[in-house]
Amino acid sequence: MSDQLPMLTISPHGATMDTVLRIRTAGHAPGAIVTVTSSQLDPAGRRWSATARFVADEMGVVDTTSDAPLAGDYEDVDAMGLVWSMTREERPPAGMRLALLAPATLEVSAQTVGGEMVSARVERARLPAGVRREPFTAPGVVGVLFHPDSGGQHPGVVLLGGSEGGLHEVDAALLAAHGFAVLALGYFGAAGVPDSLVDLPLETFGTAIDRLEAHPAVRGGRIGVLGGSRGGEAALLVGALFPKVGAVVSTVGSGLVTAGIPKAPDLLDVLRANVAAWTWRGRPVPFLPYTVDRDLVDQIASGEPVELARAFRPDRVSRQDLESATIPVERIAGPVLLLSSDEDANWPSAHLSEIAAQRLARARHPYPYRHVRYPGAGHLIAPPPYGPTQRFVPGPGVSFDMGGRAPATNAARADVWSRTIEWFAEHLPG
């Protein structure tokens, strides 16, 4: 028997949402089965939780950085397994809606059968200490800028969300903590910008880049562009159009321009509209139309989660139309990093990204470029790491299957985050 009283610690203090945590409980009997439970509220006040059972070692200790669970919501040694494996509890919100950038309180408890429960909590910052938030507005531009408040100038990055629209402030704040001035740009689905991804003028991105480059906190010369999903498509397109873009990271993006996303209550209405997402100099940009075949219609009608990747079929259009929809990525005046998932069920990001990679190769692109594919991962690898890894998300009248296996998707998210930081640190003005 251990002569210590049970205790539980979470470190480090002062963690951000992208910090790897160490969860350690001690003072148990050697060989005891210890049940460890984690929980956290999201900004809407909904509770997420996970549980795993461990065998205490000969010193009566369980440490998530070195111990694999005996059973539970994740397998294998994984320091953040009790975080990314959390699922939302099916009950009313446990608390009030939180401010978007309020810290997330992670609560963890540990208990043996018949033993005393011990617990601890840690605040995980969404707005890291030392990062300043500034509203960023210009004619036609809506965004929020995050940058280190220590003074001086920093490499500038424009961050673009995907088909969900809105402003990705948390992503931008966390990235800024790594030494960048990051503009979370709203291009649709936010106050002050269109509510749908239809006929959006690409010139708006050029204006945002110019204004960001001129900001006192930004080291001028070259701006990075980072986007996920439809934002990854936009990042490649913007990089090809505007020479101030000096580095691009496209995560689960596309080397083809795809169709727009009109606002509609029904998915089939969205897909059958087949309207342009973007305009350039007042004209619609050619795009790959959605394919709506009987299999997809049947899947939607079944009420089962929809694999939207079925709607993206480059093999169904003519070579000429495909060429018209292909983004001229060779015009990007800087390095290009493509990150995709092999089991992406939302759209075929590995194939769509490879179109861009092959075009760069054929053009003998004079700057570094790379396409990294993640086996087993699903679509949701773009957000910062160490949050709950979902497979199904709501859509217009349906739920979408994002594909992949949770451990692989979580591991990919962590790798995507570190590669993104390294890519911009290496290739933007230092």
Side-chain angles (χ1 to χ4, degrees), residues 2 4-9 24-29 59-62 110 118:
S2 170
Q4 298 179 351
L5 291 175
M7 62 179 294
L8 189 146
T9 58
R24 186 179 186 274
T25 181
H28 305 285
M59 302 298 292
V61 171
V62 170
V118 291

PDB file of all heavy atoms in Angstrom, residues 2 4-9 24-29 59-62 110 118:
ATOM      1  N   SER A   2       0.414   2.287  -0.730  1.00  0.00           N
ATOM      2  CA  SER A   2       1.119   3.553  -0.716  1.00  0.00           C
ATOM      3  C   SER A   2       0.849   4.255   0.603  1.00  0.00           C
ATOM      4  O   SER A   2      -0.237   4.194   1.159  1.00  0.00           O
ATOM      5  CB  SER A   2       0.645   4.431  -1.880  1.00  0.00           C
ATOM      6  OG  SER A   2       1.149   5.740  -1.736  1.00  0.00           O
ATOM      7  N   GLN A   4       1.061   7.466   0.911  1.00  0.00           N
ATOM      8  CA  GLN A   4       0.642   8.815   0.574  1.00  0.00           C
ATOM      9  C   GLN A   4      -0.878   8.877   0.478  1.00  0.00           C
ATOM     10  O   GLN A   4      -1.544   7.891   0.178  1.00  0.00           O
ATOM     11  CB  GLN A   4       1.222   9.247  -0.772  1.00  0.00           C
ATOM     12  CG  GLN A   4       2.733   9.293  -0.826  1.00  0.00           C
ATOM     13  CD  GLN A   4       3.209   9.697  -2.217  1.00  0.00           C
ATOM     14  OE1 GLN A   4       2.436   9.778  -3.155  1.00  0.00           O
ATOM     15  NE2 GLN A   4       4.495   9.955  -2.337  1.00  0.00           N
ATOM     16  N   LEU A   5      -1.412  10.063   0.740  1.00  0.00           N
ATOM     17  CA  LEU A   5      -2.810  10.288   0.444  1.00  0.00           C
ATOM     18  C   LEU A   5      -2.959  10.478  -1.053  1.00  0.00           C
ATOM     19  O   LEU A   5      -2.080  11.063  -1.700  1.00  0.00           O
ATOM     20  CB  LEU A   5      -3.314  11.530   1.185  1.00  0.00           C
ATOM     21  CG  LEU A   5      -3.420  11.415   2.711  1.00  0.00           C
ATOM     22  CD1 LEU A   5      -3.809  12.772   3.301  1.00  0.00           C
ATOM     23  CD2 LEU A   5      -4.437  10.351   3.106  1.00  0.00           C
ATOM     24  N   PRO A   6      -4.053  10.005  -1.662  1.00  0.00           N
ATOM     25  CA  PRO A   6      -4.229  10.208  -3.104  1.00  0.00           C
ATOM     26  C   PRO A   6      -4.216  11.694  -3.459  1.00  0.00           C
ATOM     27  O   PRO A   6      -4.716  12.534  -2.699  1.00  0.00           O
ATOM     28  CB  PRO A   6      -5.596   9.576  -3.377  1.00  0.00           C
ATOM     29  CG  PRO A   6      -5.794   8.594  -2.274  1.00  0.00           C
ATOM     30  CD  PRO A   6      -5.140   9.200  -1.077  1.00  0.00           C
ATOM     31  N   MET A   7      -3.635  11.990  -4.599  1.00  0.00           N
ATOM     32  CA  MET A   7      -3.606  13.363  -5.094  1.00  0.00           C
ATOM     33  C   MET A   7      -3.584  13.336  -6.615  1.00  0.00           C
ATOM     34  O   MET A   7      -3.227  12.325  -7.226  1.00  0.00           O
ATOM     35  CB  MET A   7      -2.382  14.118  -4.561  1.00  0.00           C
ATOM     36  CG  MET A   7      -1.051  13.524  -4.982  1.00  0.00           C
ATOM     37  SD  MET A   7       0.363  14.462  -4.359  1.00  0.00           S
ATOM     38  CE  MET A   7       0.163  15.998  -5.257  1.00  0.00           C
ATOM     39  N   LEU A   8      -3.970  14.441  -7.224  1.00  0.00           N
ATOM     40  CA  LEU A   8      -3.977  14.554  -8.676  1.00  0.00           C
ATOM     41  C   LEU A   8      -3.449  15.929  -9.056  1.00  0.00           C
ATOM     42  O   LEU A   8      -3.820  16.937  -8.452  1.00  0.00           O
ATOM     43  CB  LEU A   8      -5.390  14.343  -9.232  1.00  0.00           C
ATOM     44  CG  LEU A   8      -5.528  14.222 -10.756  1.00  0.00           C
ATOM     45  CD1 LEU A   8      -6.640  13.254 -11.122  1.00  0.00           C
ATOM     46  CD2 LEU A   8      -5.805  15.564 -11.404  1.00  0.00           C
ATOM     47  N   THR A   9      -2.588  15.963 -10.057  1.00  0.00           N
ATOM     48  CA  THR A   9      -2.034  17.230 -10.528  1.00  0.00           C
ATOM     49  C   THR A   9      -2.148  17.312 -12.047  1.00  0.00           C
ATOM     50  O   THR A   9      -2.098  16.295 -12.739  1.00  0.00           O
ATOM     51  CB  THR A   9      -0.559  17.405 -10.135  1.00  0.00           C
ATOM     52  OG1 THR A   9       0.203  16.304 -10.681  1.00  0.00           O
ATOM     53  CG2 THR A   9      -0.390  17.429  -8.627  1.00  0.00           C
ATOM     54  N   ARG A  24      -1.405  13.586 -13.757  1.00  0.00           N
ATOM     55  CA  ARG A  24      -0.721  12.602 -12.920  1.00  0.00           C
ATOM     56  C   ARG A  24      -1.465  12.453 -11.603  1.00  0.00           C
ATOM     57  O   ARG A  24      -1.790  13.436 -10.945  1.00  0.00           O
ATOM     58  CB  ARG A  24       0.719  13.044 -12.659  1.00  0.00           C
ATOM     59  CG  ARG A  24       1.589  12.041 -11.904  1.00  0.00           C
ATOM     60  CD  ARG A  24       3.001  12.601 -11.748  1.00  0.00           C
ATOM     61  NE  ARG A  24       3.914  11.625 -11.156  1.00  0.00           N
ATOM     62  CZ  ARG A  24       4.078  11.439  -9.846  1.00  0.00           C
ATOM     63  NH1 ARG A  24       3.377  12.180  -8.978  1.00  0.00           N
ATOM     64  NH2 ARG A  24       4.948  10.538  -9.397  1.00  0.00           N
ATOM     65  N   THR A  25      -1.759  11.221 -11.246  1.00  0.00           N
ATOM     66  CA  THR A  25      -2.371  10.949  -9.945  1.00  0.00           C
ATOM     67  C   THR A  25      -1.503   9.944  -9.194  1.00  0.00           C
ATOM     68  O   THR A  25      -0.970   8.991  -9.786  1.00  0.00           O
ATOM     69  CB  THR A  25      -3.825  10.456 -10.096  1.00  0.00           C
ATOM     70  OG1 THR A  25      -4.390  10.232  -8.807  1.00  0.00           O
ATOM     71  CG2 THR A  25      -3.934   9.194 -10.932  1.00  0.00           C
ATOM     72  N   ALA A  26      -1.327  10.178  -7.895  1.00  0.00           N
ATOM     73  CA  ALA A  26      -0.436   9.353  -7.073  1.00  0.00           C
ATOM     74  C   ALA A  26      -1.101   9.049  -5.732  1.00  0.00           C
ATOM     75  O   ALA A  26      -2.181   9.564  -5.406  1.00  0.00           O
ATOM     76  CB  ALA A  26       0.889  10.076  -6.865  1.00  0.00           C
ATOM     77  N   GLY A  27      -0.448   8.171  -4.960  1.00  0.00           N
ATOM     78  CA  GLY A  27      -0.956   7.819  -3.643  1.00  0.00           C
ATOM     79  C   GLY A  27      -1.950   6.676  -3.645  1.00  0.00           C
ATOM     80  O   GLY A  27      -2.652   6.467  -2.653  1.00  0.00           O
ATOM     81  N   HIS A  28      -2.011   5.922  -4.741  1.00  0.00           N
ATOM     82  CA  HIS A  28      -2.912   4.779  -4.821  1.00  0.00           C
ATOM     83  C   HIS A  28      -2.152   3.498  -4.470  1.00  0.00           C
ATOM     84  O   HIS A  28      -0.914   3.462  -4.467  1.00  0.00           O
ATOM     85  CB  HIS A  28      -3.498   4.668  -6.228  1.00  0.00           C
ATOM     86  CG  HIS A  28      -4.174   5.925  -6.681  1.00  0.00           C
ATOM     87  ND1 HIS A  28      -5.400   6.325  -6.221  1.00  0.00           N
ATOM     88  CD2 HIS A  28      -3.768   6.891  -7.562  1.00  0.00           C
ATOM     89  CE1 HIS A  28      -5.737   7.469  -6.779  1.00  0.00           C
ATOM     90  NE2 HIS A  28      -4.776   7.835  -7.607  1.00  0.00           N
ATOM     91  N   ALA A  29      -2.880   2.439  -4.213  1.00  0.00           N
ATOM     92  CA  ALA A  29      -2.235   1.150  -3.964  1.00  0.00           C
ATOM     93  C   ALA A  29      -1.613   0.644  -5.264  1.00  0.00           C
ATOM     94  O   ALA A  29      -2.216   0.775  -6.338  1.00  0.00           O
ATOM     95  CB  ALA A  29      -3.255   0.146  -3.451  1.00  0.00           C
ATOM     96  N   MET A  59       4.580   2.230  -7.724  1.00  0.00           N
ATOM     97  CA  MET A  59       4.642   3.360  -6.801  1.00  0.00           C
ATOM     98  C   MET A  59       3.256   3.963  -6.542  1.00  0.00           C
ATOM     99  O   MET A  59       3.143   4.973  -5.845  1.00  0.00           O
ATOM    100  CB  MET A  59       5.568   4.438  -7.366  1.00  0.00           C
ATOM    101  CG  MET A  59       6.988   3.980  -7.637  1.00  0.00           C
ATOM    102  SD  MET A  59       7.814   3.438  -6.115  1.00  0.00           S
ATOM    103  CE  MET A  59       7.952   5.004  -5.246  1.00  0.00           C
ATOM    104  N   GLY A  60       2.216   3.356  -7.118  1.00  0.00           N
ATOM    105  CA  GLY A  60       0.872   3.872  -6.920  1.00  0.00           C
ATOM    106  C   GLY A  60       0.545   5.080  -7.768  1.00  0.00           C
ATOM    107  O   GLY A  60      -0.335   5.876  -7.411  1.00  0.00           O
ATOM    108  N   VAL A  61       1.221   5.195  -8.925  1.00  0.00           N
ATOM    109  CA  VAL A  61       1.115   6.384  -9.766  1.00  0.00           C
ATOM    110  C   VAL A  61       0.486   6.037 -11.106  1.00  0.00           C
ATOM    111  O   VAL A  61       0.749   4.971 -11.680  1.00  0.00           O
ATOM    112  CB  VAL A  61       2.517   7.011  -9.992  1.00  0.00           C
ATOM    113  CG1 VAL A  61       2.461   8.124 -11.035  1.00  0.00           C
ATOM    114  CG2 VAL A  61       3.085   7.525  -8.681  1.00  0.00           C
ATOM    115  N   VAL A  62      -0.332   6.937 -11.629  1.00  0.00           N
ATOM    116  CA  VAL A  62      -0.806   6.914 -13.014  1.00  0.00           C
ATOM    117  C   VAL A  62      -0.397   8.231 -13.646  1.00  0.00           C
ATOM    118  O   VAL A  62      -0.653   9.305 -13.095  1.00  0.00           O
ATOM    119  CB  VAL A  62      -2.336   6.744 -13.090  1.00  0.00           C
ATOM    120  CG1 VAL A  62      -2.828   6.969 -14.522  1.00  0.00           C
ATOM    121  CG2 VAL A  62      -2.759   5.377 -12.596  1.00  0.00           C
ATOM    122  N   ALA A 110      -9.955  11.497 -10.271  1.00  0.00           N
ATOM    123  CA  ALA A 110      -9.424  10.128 -10.247  1.00  0.00           C
ATOM    124  C   ALA A 110      -9.956   9.421  -9.005  1.00  0.00           C
ATOM    125  O   ALA A 110     -10.047  10.021  -7.925  1.00  0.00           O
ATOM    126  CB  ALA A 110      -7.905  10.142 -10.236  1.00  0.00           C
ATOM    127  N   VAL A 118     -10.191  12.201  -5.917  1.00  0.00           N
ATOM    128  CA  VAL A 118      -9.350  13.398  -5.912  1.00  0.00           C
ATOM    129  C   VAL A 118      -9.551  14.096  -7.248  1.00  0.00           C
ATOM    130  O   VAL A 118      -9.866  13.464  -8.265  1.00  0.00           O
ATOM    131  CB  VAL A 118      -7.868  13.060  -5.681  1.00  0.00           C
ATOM    132  CG1 VAL A 118      -7.643  12.577  -4.270  1.00  0.00           C
ATOM    133  CG2 VAL A 118      -7.369  12.032  -6.689  1.00  0.00           C
TER     134      VAL A 118
END
